[in-house]
Amino acid sequence: MAFAAPTLQHFIYINHREAGGVNIKTDKGLLDPRFSGAQIVYKWRDLEPTKGHYDFSAIKADIVNLNSINKKLWIQLQEKCFSLSPNVPAYLLQDPMRQYVCVGLGI
């Protein structure tokens, strides 16, 4: 039995999401038919603002926006940080039982 090779797809990498997804909505590269969609970085702390309470409204809005131009969403969940701003929820930073390393903060 022969298997068909998967079709190669290209996604535009967007390393952060501005308020309201403005940078995604205005990215002219997404109108290029050679791109299948966007790979968007979402910070864990934005998706879980408080322990056990989740907010996926940004992802839902981006799906609606990308669907409107016939594009797909590739979600990248970011927990590691390389700057002065931690990407994990605050409760993880305050819990003495958890060890969280933030390269930019040295913690």
Side-chain angles (χ1 to χ4, degrees), residues 31-49:
L31 300 177
D32 188 324
R34 295 174 291 180
F35 292 106
S36 297
Q39 176 182 345
I40 303 173
V41 175
Y42 298 93
K43 295 178 183 178
W44 180 1
R45 78 179 298 121
D46 293 337
L47 301 177
E48 188 183 11

Side-chain angles (χ1 to χ4, degrees), residues 27-85:
D27 191 315
K28 293 182 181 176
L30 285 169
L31 300 177
D32 188 324
R34 295 174 291 180
F35 292 106
S36 297
Q39 176 182 345
I40 303 173
V41 175
Y42 298 93
K43 295 178 183 178
W44 180 1
R45 78 179 298 121
D46 293 337
L47 301 177
E48 188 183 11
T50 58
K51 187 174 183 176
H53 295 93
Y54 300 93
D55 178 4
F56 299 115
S57 59
I59 293 174
K60 291 176 184 177
D62 292 340
I63 289 171
V64 168
N65 176 49
L66 292 169
N67 280 343
S68 74
I69 56 173
N70 200 29
K71 301 294 181 180
K72 299 175 186 174
L73 173 61
W74 175 341
I75 296 171
Q76 178 178 328
L77 178 61
Q78 191 71 26
E79 93 301 335
K80 190 160 183 79
C81 69
F82 300 95
S83 68
L84 296 178
S85 177

Side-chain angles (χ1 to χ4, degrees), residues 14 16-27 30 40 42 57-58 61-62 65:
I14 301 174
H16 72 286
R17 184 180 192 277
E18 293 176 0
V22 173
N23 59 323
I24 298 158
K25 293 175 186 174
T26 59
D27 191 315
L30 285 169
I40 303 173
Y42 298 93
S57 59
D62 292 340
N65 176 49

